[in-house]
Amino acid sequence: MTAPGMHPPSVPARAAKGLVLFVCCAVVIVPFITVVSTSLATREQVTRSGGMVFLPDEVSFAAYQAILSGGVVTRATMVSLFVTITGTALSLAATTLLAYGLSRRGSFAAKPFLMIVLFALLFTPGIIPAYLMVKSLGLIDTYWSLILPVMINAFNVIILRAFFMDLPEEVIDSARIDGAGDLAILWRIVLPLSKGVLAVVALFYAVSYWNAFFAALLYLNDISMWPLQLVLRTYVVNQTQVGVDQLGVAGADLPPQEAVQMAILVLSIIPILVVYPFVQRHFTKGVLIGAVKG
């Protein structure tokens, strides 16, 4: 049954919606298939197709074997994993503590700190002030330069604060009557009730750390410390040739340049594809936090 005044869409309308959905899916799926197929193509197929292969006739894992056998790509992958895991853990902990403090009534200087967070949300420092600050702290050529300047995101603080404020006050008050302190309430009551929104915020941070390359370009002068995304930008965007010394394989066994570039690209998106399905169901809840009152 349909609601009063509502009529089911006509056949042409449904066909038009299906066509638009099909086109949108094709725009996303076809390039992805092309990237994966090119990374699995042989030199003959890449040469015959002129660079990009849609569906390879023969599957070859030479590009993946080359980038994973040692050299700068493997090292860059380990760097990205370290920065992402460490940064996400520290950012989630700091954001949770700040948001919980701002959400509690009677917290010391809660309103001034909230104004600072909102100011940071609306206005961001420029490249030169940020670089001078990182340099003055002695963080140049250290991995902390990729974590500390962006450890707390104002938008994520607002999301967590809105969720914490919607938690039932009766539950927190009863725990306080039983003698629980603020940290005990946060650890034993608030965090178990906030698994969904924490998963969303953690994914936001993880994607941000994993995809970041500009900070590494500014603060890391040692190429051996570069994360995977900066290496990917150097190989693909700047069209830098991947050499024998970089991949650690013999020159005769070097796979085609296009296959290596696409293999690095696939390697860079695999972690997001693996993690995203587990937190997808929390996205709607996380986005709508604070949007509906009452």
Side-chain angles (χ1 to χ4, degrees):
M1 296 181 63
T2 59
M6 300 287 291
H7 301 282
S10 61
V11 175
R14 285 183 291 177
K17 292 180 180 179
L19 179 61
V20 172
L21 181 60
F22 175 79
V23 172
C24 294
C25 292
V27 169
V28 176
I29 295 175
V30 171
F32 180 76
I33 294 177
T34 303
V35 168
V36 176
S37 299
T38 304
S39 69
L40 298 173
T42 61
R43 182 178 297 276
E44 293 76 12
Q45 294 170 348
V46 172
T47 303
R48 186 170 62 250
S49 63
M52 300 297 290
V53 180
F54 182 65
L55 290 176
D57 300 328
E58 180 183 353
V59 175
S60 173
F61 293 94
Y64 293 95
Q65 293 175 355
I67 64 176
L68 295 177
S69 61
V72 65
V73 177
T74 303
R75 183 170 59 248
T77 303
M78 295 297 104
V79 170
S80 291
L81 288 174
F82 170 77
V83 172
T84 300
I85 295 174
T86 305
T88 301
L90 293 177
S91 295
L92 189 61
T95 303
T96 301
L97 291 174
L98 178 58
Y100 180 72
L102 294 177
S103 67
R104 297 300 94 194
R105 299 192 185 95
S107 297
F108 174 75
K111 289 186 177 180
F113 278 112
L114 181 59
M115 292 298 104
I116 294 176
V117 171
L118 294 176
F119 185 85
L121 180 63
L122 299 175
F123 303 97
T124 57
I127 297 177
I128 295 178
Y131 181 85
L132 294 177
M133 176 61 69
V134 172
K135 184 177 180 180
S136 65
L137 296 176
L139 300 179
I140 299 295
D141 279 334
T142 66
Y143 293 129
W144 292 113
S145 64
L146 308 181
I147 299 175
L148 294 182
V150 293
M151 191 169 68
I152 296 180
N153 183 277
F155 177 74
N156 294 333
V157 173
I158 299 301
I159 290 179
L160 279 180
R161 176 181 177 271
F163 182 86
F164 292 154
M165 292 183 68
D166 288 340
L167 292 177
E169 287 289 342
E170 296 78 6
V171 177
I172 298 177
D173 291 339
S174 62
R176 198 177 301 278
I177 293 174
D178 292 337
D182 289 329
L183 290 180
I185 294 174
L186 175 63
W187 182 258
R188 298 179 181 178
I189 298 177
V190 175
L191 294 185
L193 295 175
S194 311
K195 293 180 179 179
V197 66
L198 290 177
V200 173
V201 172
L203 183 62
F204 286 165
Y205 276 123
V207 172
S208 177
Y209 280 115
W210 180 261
N211 290 332
F213 73 91
F214 191 68
L217 184 63
L218 289 177
Y219 306 137
L220 299 182
N221 300 316
D222 188 355
I223 298 179
S224 63
M225 299 179 65
W226 281 6
L228 181 61
Q229 300 300 333
L230 186 53
V231 173
L232 174 64
R233 177 183 181 275
T234 303
Y235 286 170
V236 179
V237 177
N238 294 348
Q239 294 296 318
T240 302
Q241 294 295 314
V242 183
V244 177
D245 57 335
Q246 294 170 322
L247 294 179
V249 296
D253 299 330
L254 194 64
Q257 182 72 15
E258 294 81 359
V260 172
Q261 292 175 344
M262 296 303 105
I264 298 174
L265 181 58
V266 172
L267 184 64
S268 67
I269 64 178
I270 284 179
I272 304 301
L273 294 179
V274 171
V275 174
Y276 180 79
F278 295 99
V279 295
Q280 180 183 10
R281 59 191 179 94
H282 299 299
F283 263 100
T284 303
K285 182 178 181 180
V287 171
L288 294 179
I289 288 173
V292 180
K293 298 294 184 182

